[in-house]
């Protein structure tokens, strides 16, 4: 169903591309907010995406209206129509894998909401005078992604290549599959930590005191952030590479747009 295509070492572009995005996120969390620049970039590409979606929608509508008509004799019009139809078929073929990525994003989206609430309720002190800001816990996830990408590129790929003979070590779908297993583990760990947190709150009669500090270290929350970071190394990068690799050259920007749409829906 899906083609297998490896062009020189273009596959590792996605690892380093995601690494750079992780560095940017880390910088934004620790040094300066880069929201203004990112909004400018989003505004530039959103118009192109809207136009493309309109084109594909027109293909669907035209196909429904003219399903009983005879094909036109104009070769130019016919080729253009066939091209659009093939692009639409390509997108439809990718939708199941694309939709699976939404679940991955949904499972760790709580890190930026409920995870902050959890962090606010526990002991965050590293010293008598300094405590970790609740929203900064995402640093642990980002650092895991950065370290994980380097280890994946430098250690896992060469090791797996010995057994699979695949220049990329494992396929995109295998990479995503491993990530989903780690994702499930991360979700289980998150649930167990929350059970522990609530049990400690009940033990000290703090369940109804929203501003109270539960006597449990913030580092209990670290495993779930780190595991979600590992899952991101496999699922997010694997999905981005898959969508790009399985799309015709004329649709690769659309494939990248689909990736970010999945992230927005998951969140």
């Amino acid at each position: 169903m899906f083609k297998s295509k490896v062009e020189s070492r273009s596959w590792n572009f996605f690892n380093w591309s995601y690494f750079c995005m992780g560095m940017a996120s880390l910088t934004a969390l620790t040094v300066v907010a880069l929201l203004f620049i990112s909004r400018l970039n989003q505004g530039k590409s959103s118009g192109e995406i809207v136009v493309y979606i309109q084109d594909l929608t027109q293909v669907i509508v035209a196909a429904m209206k003219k399903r009983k008509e005879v094909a036109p004799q104009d070769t130019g019009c016919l080729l253009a129509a066939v091209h659009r139809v093939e692009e639409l078929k390509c997108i439809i073929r990718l939708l199941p894998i694309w939709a699976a990525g939404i679940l991955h994003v949904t499972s760790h989206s709580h890190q930026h909401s409920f995870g902050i609430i959890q962090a606010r309720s526990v002991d965050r002190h590293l010293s008598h005078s300094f405590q970790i800001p609740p929203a900064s816990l995402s640093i642990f996830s980002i650092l895991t992604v950065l370290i994980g990408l380097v280890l994946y590129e430098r250690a896992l790929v060469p090791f797996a290549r010995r057994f699979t003979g695949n220049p990329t070590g494992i396929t995109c779908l295998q990479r995503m599959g491993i990530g989903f297993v780690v994702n499930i583990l991360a979700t289980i760990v998150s649930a167990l930590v929350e059970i522990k947190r609530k049990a400690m709150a009940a033990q000290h009669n703090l369940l109804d005191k929203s501003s109270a500090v539960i006597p449990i270290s913030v580092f209990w929350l670290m495993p779930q952030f780190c595991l979600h970071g590992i899952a991101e190394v496999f699922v997010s990068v694997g999905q981005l590479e898959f969508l790009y690799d399985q799309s015709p050259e004329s649709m690769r920007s659309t494939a990248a747009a689909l990736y970010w749409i999945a992230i927005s829906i998951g969140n």
Side-chain angles (χ1 to χ4, degrees), residues 195-208 214-215:
I195 291 172
K196 171 71 175 178
R197 188 182 73 94
K198 293 188 70 173
M200 289 295 291
Q203 182 179 337
H204 292 83
N205 298 316
L206 300 175
L207 283 176
D208 298 324
I214 303 170

Side-chain angles (χ1 to χ4, degrees), residues 81-150:
V82 169
H83 177 70
R84 283 301 184 192
V85 170
E86 290 302 318
E87 288 183 337
L88 179 62
K89 288 166 62 177
C90 180
I91 289 181
I92 293 174
R93 189 171 69 249
L94 297 176
L95 286 181
I97 307 300
W98 169 79
I102 297 175
L103 298 177
H104 161 69
V105 177
T106 302
S107 70
H108 69 76
S109 61
H110 71 278
Q111 290 182 353
H112 312 294
S113 53
F114 186 64
I116 296 177
I117 296 175
Q118 287 178 305
R120 288 184 60 188
S121 68
V122 299
D123 182 12
R124 293 176 280 112
H125 283 89
L126 294 182
S127 65
H128 180 71
S129 59
F130 177 76
Q131 58 181 351
I132 302 175
S136 294
L137 283 182
S138 297
I139 291 176
F140 297 120
S141 178
I142 295 172
L143 286 174
T144 303
V145 171
L146 296 177
I147 296 172
L149 284 170
V150 174

Side-chain angles (χ1 to χ4, degrees), residues 149-214:
L149 284 170
V150 174
L151 292 176
Y152 183 92
E153 171 82 12
R154 299 302 182 187
L156 192 148
V157 170
F159 177 78
R161 190 184 293 145
R162 298 177 183 176
F163 301 96
T164 64
N166 189 329
T168 64
I170 55 178
T171 66
C172 296
L173 293 180
Q174 289 171 338
R175 183 173 185 172
M176 291 180 66
I178 294 172
F180 278 119
V181 172
V182 178
N183 209 5
I184 293 171
L185 178 61
T187 305
I188 293 173
V189 169
S190 300
L192 293 176
V193 170
E194 177 59 9
I195 291 172
K196 171 71 175 178
R197 188 182 73 94
K198 293 188 70 173
M200 289 295 291
Q203 182 179 337
H204 292 83
N205 298 316
L206 300 175
L207 283 176
D208 298 324
K209 300 177 181 178
S210 59
S211 60
V213 176
I214 303 170

